[in-house]
Amino acid sequence: MSADLDDLQRKLDALKEAGRRAEERMGDFGQMREQISELQAAATSADRSVTVTASPGGVTGIEFTQDAMRLSPAQLSSTVMSTLQLAVAEAARKQAEIVQEYVPDSDVLDRVLRTQEELFGAQPEQPEAPVDDDEQPDSFLDGRR
């Protein structure tokens, strides 16, 4: 009977320890969720005319300098899209780094980096810098200068 009680006590202790570890992990996941919810990534175009800010939920802001107003519509569109890709890719990498920190046996960071390399090459393509005003097509804002 004493052996049965000892066995039950060991099982109860193991169960308590498993519960303690589960509570600890839940606390860690709460911290992870908080870090991810606060995450922001910003990217600025090579010509510094556009800055995009992104979070894991998507784009949170797009800012233009006066130089952006000198770009043709096609150039501005290309610059915004390229910069947007950079910001979203950076937000995804940062999120994966946070997850990897809390779940070290996961390969989430490697998978994100591999996917981004397949989609963009080593890095998403940087937008081209604008050409001189003399060589540049008329801007959509020329009538407002």
Side-chain angles (χ1 to χ4, degrees), residues 7-124:
D7 188 44
L8 282 174
Q9 184 62 47
R10 277 192 300 278
K11 288 179 182 179
L12 180 60
D13 290 343
L15 186 59
K16 285 180 184 177
E17 177 61 20
R20 186 195 62 74
R21 284 193 314 264
E23 284 180 19
E24 185 177 288
R25 255 185 106 98
M26 289 300 293
D28 288 347
F29 285 129
Q31 288 176 337
M32 178 181 72
R33 184 177 42 233
E34 184 176 327
Q35 283 183 315
I36 288 172
S37 72
E38 295 171 355
L39 184 150
Q40 293 273 328
T44 300
S45 61
D47 65 3
R48 310 202 57 76
S49 65
V50 176
T51 299
V52 176
T53 306
S55 70
V59 175
T60 59
I62 300 176
E63 297 176 17
F64 300 96
T65 64
Q66 286 296 346
D67 291 337
M69 300 306 137
R70 294 186 187 97
L71 300 175
S72 70
Q75 286 175 315
L76 183 57
S77 175
S78 175
T79 300
V80 168
M81 291 305 294
S82 296
T83 309
L84 190 143
Q85 286 178 333
L86 290 169
V88 170
E90 180 64 16
R93 279 193 298 277
K94 285 182 173 183
Q95 183 176 359
E97 288 170 357
I98 292 169
V99 171
Q100 191 75 52
E101 179 184 331
Y102 286 93
V103 188
D105 56 338
S106 167
D107 67 343
V108 68
L109 182 57
D110 288 336
R111 290 183 6 216
V112 166
L113 295 175
R114 250 191 332 265
T115 300
Q116 289 182 355
E117 190 169 340
E118 289 170 12
L119 292 173
F120 308 120
Q123 281 284 328

Side-chain angles (χ1 to χ4, degrees), residues 121-139:
Q123 281 284 328
E125 188 177 315
Q126 288 279 343
E128 292 182 22
V131 293
D132 278 300
D133 284 341
D134 295 338
E135 300 172 26
Q136 190 171 348
D138 290 338
S139 169

